[in-house]
Amino acid sequence: MRAVRVTEWGGPEVLKVHPDVTIPEPQVNQILIKVGASGVNPVEAYKRTGRDAKSMSLPWTPGTDCAGTVHKIGLAVTNFKPGDRVYTFGSVTGTYAEYAISTEDNVYLLPDQLDFKAGAALGVPYFTAYRALIQRARAEAGQTVLVHGASGSVGIATLQFAKAYGMTVLGTAGTPEGMQLVRENGAKFVFNHRQDGYMDEIMTATSGEGVDVIIEMLADVNLQKDLEILAPDGVVAVIGSRGTAEIKPALMLGKESTIIGVTVRGGVKGQKSRKVISAAINAGIQSGWIKPHIGKEFSLEGAPQAHHEIIDGPGALGRIVLTVP
């Protein structure tokens, strides 16, 4: 099969397609998937640089989630059969390839309403969004939610959940196109996070009361300001950070506010938690309000450009995917 292989740690240029990789064989509880599309996540770009080199071995095929068709199943697999359309929330062998292995508990049936590209936008983005908003921040109907970096794939998913669950949604983006996308996906108020004073505009939009929940994609930049605009008993759920943050803890005392971390891979290891999230996703698809937005798509050969876009692009616009013919 054709697969992207990393044989040395480095920049996007180390992502190279190899045409003669052996198709993996599923073990007892595993499923071999013929990949139709693979999602591209920031974590894969970070790992590509060798950040986790001590815990990884080369050659390495990136990719966490994908959508496609079940090709072959292990002897203990009971919930899937060859030909089923599926999406994944994890991979054993990496999904930047024509075939990928996942364990049965990380595979979910893909509803007919969605094609493979949309399916490849479900796993990490929607699992992360639900985990952060509902399971960790415990956001409720009637609350005000701010999504920082709302035009990215996790941001779009969070907007859709928040709106459907009866919350007042505010979102930020860094480009006019991103701001429009945030608006289209449920935000009542939208702000440009590259403009000075936008946090003051958020306070004005909430009549000076602040926001109840903040979903934070870049804590090293925003965390201090987040604490300033939180309402009493407010929560900041940190999904992403690229460095350290300096904060004034005193801001948390009078408001009794909370900062929580979100790690979707570790946080939803439990089968019960995964079932809850997948059921919520399926309900949203059937009701028509879960609509993954595909921003850019590339072939396997375009993986270097996809990594450049997701880290250094001008502004996120939904999900980046690799399509596999």
Side-chain angles (χ1 to χ4, degrees), residues 58-72:
L58 295 173
W60 172 65
T61 293
T64 307
D65 44 4
C66 71
T69 306
V70 173
H71 187 73
K72 191 174 183 180

Side-chain angles (χ1 to χ4, degrees), residues 268-291:
V268 294
K269 280 182 179 177
Q271 190 173 4
K272 180 179 179 181
S273 180
R274 285 198 299 269
K275 283 185 176 180
V276 169
I277 298 176
S278 63
I281 292 171
N282 189 61
I285 294 170
Q286 300 303 330
S287 298
W289 54 263
I290 281 188
K291 298 177 180 179

